[in-house]
Amino acid sequence: MNCRSSLSSRLKMVALTVALSAGNAVCAQDLMNGEFELGPANWEWKQAITAGIGACDSLATFSANFVNTPQFKIGSDRAARVTAAGSSGSYHSCGQIEQTVFVPIGARLKFDLRIGDPEYTYTSGPGRLSAYARDVQLGVEKTLFSASGSNCNANSPSCAPVGVPRDVDISKFWGRSARLKFQGSTSGQVGGVGYDQAPTLAYIDSVRFELPVLSQAKPKAGGYYNPSRSGQGLHISKAPDGQYSLIWYTFLPNGEPVWYMSDIAFHVGGVWQAPLYKFTWNTATNSRNPGTQIGDVRLESLSATKLNFMWDFYSDGDSSGFDGGEPLQFLTGGQGYTGMWYEPSLPGWGFSVDHEVGSSTSLTVFYYDGTEPVWAYASGQADPEGGVSFPIFRYTSTGLCPQCMFEPVSRVSTPVGELGLRLESDSGWFLGEGNLSDWTRGSSAFPVALSRLTFP
């Protein structure tokens, strides 16, 4: 399902000692009633005031009260006060607003936040605001953002609270329905031992999803990864005619490594998109089977070294839009022998090289375990000229498959052999010795001849 259009909705200023949450509509393209022009419509509002210090649970539904706040320095002059001050004694105040939304692929969550007001009271209870999202289908909730603050002394010339723009990563929920929630809390005291304590309210304004402005810069060739899910990623390189291709090194839900390869396509207007294929090995003929298109992949350039990566697997029965995506950034390569290499006498396997001249060489071997595609990784501080040798490792993982966004990430490496390599001009030799799941090519006496397929 593709709900990537119409992303301009905004949420009006919300006075909170509070929290905002999202999630039930199957394909709500925008945050609804973003300017609060319809009062509390489309949002579920809750609050609770308890004696003493308490937790923000057992919140009761209430009707929001709107007030004018011309001192708020961002957005409009209309705010919704979600939490309320207590009337006597010490108290703990909580509030939240939430809505079900569809999170567009590539979007970031943005809002303006102010915590605190000018106050003349002796002291103030601290205020906090946190943002959460809960996946509607899986029921998994993640904390997106949290901040705290307190009121300032109204007698001070520097006491002029203003809203601060916030830019929050919500990529784990790209392409999914989520329950978005902003929740705030504070404490206060009325009367009692010697002084009043004012609660610290939090205000939000202009909450929206924003898609990035795409860059016309073409991606730098080399390896790309997501720092929050390190251990899987892409190798991007170019054919001689300037068309781009990628190979995706990732994992299956059971933790086993798998690779997929794209077709070639031109990068136009900040966007590259191509069919995605899976290749298997025919053990009877000792040759690669024809590739099967399993979906499509798309790159949207944010700069020459940052991009949003999106995928659509046809296996879910829906090819109308992208299933998911994640932000990626350049890791290494882009020079010298960077590109994909293969063995002309046995096409169907090979390796991608990420080379930084005079510094390092990383390469990933894409091959087969029986009939299935798998990969192994090697790297070293050397140029691949004159002969180099690297140990090769195969990985299994949890939390790194495309469907595993909400699982904790872990990887286990297993040594599977030694790789000898010499690349000169557009040819070279490869020696794989050891146990690459019985995939061994060449020997010290009889190295394997190679040819270059793509370039930096």
Side-chain angles (χ1 to χ4, degrees):
M1 179 180 300
N2 189 358
C3 302
R4 302 188 67 249
S5 61
S6 180
L7 300 169
S8 61
S9 73
R10 298 158 62 86
L11 274 161
K12 198 79 171 183
M13 180 172 75
V14 172
L16 294 177
T17 294
V18 169
L20 220 188
S21 163
N24 273 323
V26 173
C27 191
Q29 295 186 25
D30 287 336
L31 289 159
M32 304 299 291
N33 188 25
E35 295 288 347
F36 286 92
E37 294 164 341
L38 304 176
N42 302 112
W43 294 92
E44 183 177 355
W45 300 68
K46 294 180 179 180
Q47 72 174 18
I49 299 176
T50 57
I53 301 299
C56 288
D57 51 15
S58 301
L59 301 180
T61 302
F62 79 108
S63 297
N65 295 315
F66 291 90
V67 297
N68 291 324
T69 56
Q71 76 275 18
F72 197 77
K73 297 295 194 302
I74 56 173
S76 82
D77 60 358
R78 184 167 179 262
R81 180 163 291 149
V82 181
T83 52
S87 58
S88 64
S90 61
Y91 61 87
H92 187 70
S93 179
C94 297
Q96 72 182 35
I97 57 175
E98 54 187 338
Q99 183 184 141
T100 298
V101 298
F102 182 86
V103 181
I105 295 179
R108 294 187 68 86
L109 175 64
K110 295 191 175 184
F111 55 93
D112 296 327
L113 169 66
R114 187 186 99 192
I115 299 178
D117 291 295
E119 285 289 346
Y120 293 93
T121 53
Y122 178 78
T123 186
S124 298
R128 173 173 290 276
L129 181 131
S130 300
Y132 307 87
R134 185 179 72 251
D135 186 89
V136 170
Q137 181 180 3
L138 301 177
V140 178
E141 184 171 273
K142 296 291 184 181
T143 301
L144 304 175
F145 172 86
S146 187
S148 60
S150 60
N151 298 322
C152 59
N153 185 345
N155 294 310
S156 171
S158 63
C159 179
V162 296
V164 178
R166 304 290 184 169
D167 185 342
V168 178
D169 179 14
I170 197 168
S171 59
K172 284 186 179 293
F173 296 87
W174 282 357
R176 304 186 67 85
S177 294
R179 188 74 172 167
L180 179 64
K181 177 176 67 179
F182 288 88
Q183 185 178 84
S185 64
T186 189
S187 59
Q189 180 172 302
V190 177
V193 184
Y195 59 86
D196 289 345
Q197 184 184 67
T200 297
L201 300 181
Y203 301 82
I204 57 171
D205 189 16
S206 302
V207 181
R208 73 273 186 195
F209 290 132
E210 273 193 14
L211 289 177
V213 176
L214 299 186
S215 170
Q216 300 302 305
K218 298 185 184 302
K220 182 177 181 179
Y224 284 77
Y225 81 124
N226 180 349
S228 68
R229 290 181 6 107
S230 180
Q232 57 89 41
L234 307 179
H235 170 84
I236 299 174
S237 52
K238 291 185 292 186
D241 63 358
Q243 295 189 79
Y244 280 82
S245 176
L246 67 77
I247 184 165
W248 184 7
Y249 298 111
T250 185
F251 294 88
L252 298 170
N254 66 4
E256 291 298 317
V258 66
W259 58 270
Y260 307 114
M261 188 175 293
S262 77
D263 205 340
I264 57 174
F266 286 106
H267 181 276
V268 179
V271 175
W272 174 93
Q273 185 168 324
L276 186 68
Y277 295 90
K278 178 182 178 180
F279 294 93
T280 57
W281 193 254
N282 188 321
T283 55
T285 61
N286 199 36
S287 63
R288 187 192 70 184
N289 291 316
T292 300
Q293 185 177 356
I294 60 170
D296 299 288
V297 285
R298 178 183 175 98
L299 303 176
E300 293 185 348
S301 295
L302 308 182
S303 71
T305 56
K306 290 186 178 180
L307 51 85
N308 287 334
F309 173 52
M310 308 167 190
W311 59 81
D312 175 34
F313 289 117
Y314 296 165
S315 58
D316 65 2
D318 182 2
S319 60
S320 64
F322 291 98
D323 302 327
E326 60 183 330
L328 301 179
Q329 65 185 49
F330 179 79
L331 178 62
T332 186
Q335 301 174 1
Y337 297 102
T338 294
M340 286 190 283
W341 297 71
Y342 75 107
E343 180 185 355
S345 62
L346 192 68
W349 79 279
F351 50 88
S352 58
V353 176
D354 297 315
H355 180 210
E356 295 189 356
V357 176
S359 175
S360 65
T361 302
S362 302
L363 57 89
T364 308
V365 184
F366 54 93
Y367 65 107
Y368 304 88
D369 186 348
T371 61
E372 294 304 302
V374 294
W375 56 271
Y377 179 77
S379 66
Q381 303 299 311
D383 288 317
E385 299 168 334
V388 293
S389 180
F390 303 125
I392 314 174
F393 297 90
R394 180 166 159 177
Y395 294 87
T396 57
S397 83
T398 60
L400 289 178
C401 77
Q403 305 86 354
C404 303
M405 286 292 180
F406 302 111
E407 297 178 15
V409 173
S410 67
R411 287 194 311 160
V412 176
S413 64
T414 302
V416 289
E418 193 77 14
L419 178 150
L421 183 70
R422 183 174 67 233
L423 301 177
E424 295 175 341
S425 184
D426 293 339
S427 62
W429 61 265
F430 171 88
L431 164 64
E433 294 182 330
N435 178 25
L436 277 178
S437 298
D438 298 324
W439 187 274
T440 300
R441 300 296 303 157
S443 67
S444 301
F446 301 100
V448 172
L450 303 170
S451 288
R452 194 170 195 167
L453 184 64
T454 60
F455 301 79

